[in-house]
Amino acid sequence: MVNDKSDTYGVTCALVDDTGGSDAGANTVYDDASFDPTTAYKFASIGKAAAAIADYNNTNHSRNNVGGGIVYLADGNYNWTGSSNTYGSGNAETWLTVKRASNSTNRASVVINGQSGNNAIRNKVKFEDITFASNATITVD
């Protein structure tokens, strides 16, 4: 938890879509005030979205990690993390949250099936309102 009484820490958001996303190109993430899931850039993998959050945080929030990031998942089936990346140079002071996008159908429509790529996103990852396949095995650092 971070005590952010002056609202300066920043929340960085990214959208992942397993059918319409791309891990190439602009790799755009957003501060929470300007994030709109209907128009946001769509990543193909959770890992690439998290790496872009760390890069954005390093440039715009003076912290080189994924802390305060939210990865929104559109309806679909995903691997944890789905790609191999680096996620900044330090441990996050607060959570990276992985949750379903507000425009997704429901919890059952956003599924993590297993893992591929590297699985280590520094030490604080929180999952909200998504489904893990019953046979899925994932590792979180």
Side-chain angles (χ1 to χ4, degrees), residues 19 34 90 104:
T19 60
S34 62
S104 71

Side-chain angles (χ1 to χ4, degrees), residues 9 24 28-29 33 40 51 56 60 63 75 78 81 91 95 98 122:
Y9 190 78
T28 304
V29 297
Y56 183 89
N60 296 282
R63 62 179 186 274
D75 287 349
Y78 300 92
T81 61
N91 289 332
W95 300 99
V98 179
R122 301 266 184 198

Side-chain angles (χ1 to χ4, degrees), residues 14-68:
L15 179 64
V16 181
D17 186 332
D18 75 329
T19 60
S22 172
D23 281 349
N27 295 334
T28 304
V29 297
Y30 309 85
D31 275 318
D32 63 334
S34 62
F35 177 74
D36 179 351
T38 62
T39 60
Y41 179 88
K42 298 173 185 168
F43 291 89
S45 69
I46 296 166
K48 188 63 174 177
I53 287 171
D55 289 344
Y56 183 89
N57 284 349
N58 189 40
T59 301
N60 296 282
H61 297 302
S62 300
R63 62 179 186 274
N64 192 7
N65 60 56
V66 297

Side-chain angles (χ1 to χ4, degrees), residues 64-107:
N64 192 7
N65 60 56
V66 297
I70 303 174
V71 175
Y72 289 97
L73 303 178
D75 287 349
N77 295 291
Y78 300 92
N79 283 314
W80 179 258
T81 61
S83 60
S84 294
N85 305 280
T86 58
Y87 307 104
S89 64
N91 289 332
E93 297 90 9
T94 190
W95 300 99
L96 170 70
T97 303
V98 179
K99 62 191 291 183
R100 76 180 180 93
S102 60
N103 60 347
S104 71
T105 308
N106 57 43
R107 170 185 251 179

